[in-house]
Amino acid sequence: MLKPLFVALNLSVMSIANAGLIEIDTNFGNGADSYIHNGKKDSNYGSANTLLLRNDGDNGWHRQSYIRFDLSDITETVANASFDLALTYNILTDNDALVANVFDVEVYGLLDSSVGNNWSENAITWNNAAGNNVNSNGFTSDFSLLGTLSLKDINVGDRFTLDNDALVNFINNDSDNLVTLGLRRVNSVRTDSSFQFASKENANNGAPMLSLTTTAVPEPGTLAIFGLGLIGLATRRFIK
């Protein structure tokens, strides 16, 4: 009598624990990507096939990037998450002394409370980007730091990945099915260097990607089996 019950319980636990991998890039749904330029504060670069990052202080050549993912298809809790994007151009390639350095890119998440999470790829500029510090360089408190990408031994075509608990928690706390990430370069070595990453318009490299592992919600049939198993166990104990 106990064996069928244990089988039912085991099937239920297996179904509850089962997980699925979902990959979302900026081409999906309301996804978007662009960069902004503090030397051309009202210019838009939403149609560009690259996302530029440059740390140039207040000299008018600083760039930061905005990337948005549409999570409308995500209905389960996210257990693991990774964000990655591909390098398409590296000005440091021919300078061995600088290639040996580690260049850090900070990844921020735009809080749902910020006005402008549903920004337009073809309208975003330095002056109107949500959470952008227009009078300096970097982001305002509307953004939360999620982690840092360390670029070392840089080669064109490499994909750089961020995966940590902060990213998972940020996604699970999302309330509007839109996740905007902000990227900025923070190192001061060779400030005149620009890193370029593939946007969704890039034909040669994949768009920015968010890979999620979700915890599946039990199906109704599984819950029924689980319930019948519990009833069977209770009945057996009652008979005893």
Side-chain angles (χ1 to χ4, degrees):
M1 292 292 295
L2 288 177
K3 186 175 181 180
L5 175 58
F6 286 146
V7 170
L9 291 175
N10 189 43
L11 286 173
S12 179
V13 172
M14 286 175 63
S15 298
I16 293 173
N18 198 20
L21 175 64
I22 302 173
E23 294 184 328
I24 301 171
D25 67 21
T26 50
N27 284 295
F28 173 72
N30 198 19
D33 49 38
S34 185
Y35 70 91
I36 56 177
H37 189 332
N38 77 340
K40 298 181 179 180
K41 299 181 186 297
D42 292 311
S43 295
N44 169 260
Y45 302 94
S47 61
N49 64 4
T50 55
L51 301 168
L52 272 64
L53 296 178
R54 181 165 172 169
N55 178 11
D56 200 33
D58 296 320
N59 296 322
W61 294 101
H62 189 84
R63 278 97 158 182
Q64 298 175 174
S65 291
Y66 279 65
I67 297 170
R68 185 176 65 230
F69 296 100
D70 183 339
L71 303 187
S72 56
D73 276 4
I74 306 299
T75 57
E76 299 88 19
T77 299
V78 173
N80 296 288
S82 65
F83 160 68
D84 69 89
L85 68 175
L87 187 72
T88 63
Y89 175 75
N90 171 25
I91 200 172
L92 308 179
T93 301
D94 297 325
N95 190 321
D96 292 337
L98 288 171
V99 170
N101 282 279
V102 176
F103 295 88
D104 292 331
V105 172
E106 290 181 339
V107 180
Y108 292 78
L110 184 64
L111 303 178
D112 285 346
S113 57
S114 171
V115 176
N117 199 20
N118 193 19
W119 47 275
S120 169
E121 180 179 87
N122 296 315
I124 188 172
T125 68
W126 183 270
N127 278 335
N128 67 24
N132 180 46
N133 191 337
V134 295
N135 297 316
S136 182
N137 297 308
F139 300 111
T140 68
S141 58
D142 286 333
F143 274 97
S144 174
L145 179 63
L146 301 179
T148 302
L149 297 174
S150 292
L151 282 58
K152 184 174 175 58
D153 300 325
I154 308 165
N155 295 297
V156 171
D158 289 346
R159 293 190 76 90
F160 295 90
T161 302
L162 175 72
D163 53 352
N164 59 20
D165 290 342
L167 179 61
V168 173
N169 292 335
F170 182 75
I171 292 171
N172 280 327
N173 287 326
D174 173 71
S175 61
D176 60 3
N177 293 325
L178 296 175
V179 165
T180 291
L181 302 180
L183 276 62
R184 65 182 293 261
R185 235 198 81 189
V186 293
N187 303 73
S188 59
V189 177
R190 184 77 182 266
T191 58
D192 64 330
S193 61
S194 293
F195 294 121
Q196 298 182 17
F197 297 92
S199 70
K200 64 186 180 67
E201 287 82 10
N202 195 291
N204 299 316
N205 300 89
M209 176 79 72
L210 197 60
S211 300
L212 308 174
T213 302
T214 61
T215 302
V217 176
E219 297 181 358
T222 299
L223 291 176
I225 293 173
F226 185 69
L228 288 172
L230 291 178
I231 292 172
L233 179 59
T235 301
R236 186 174 184 278
R237 288 180 175 175
F238 179 76
I239 292 173
K240 282 186 174 183

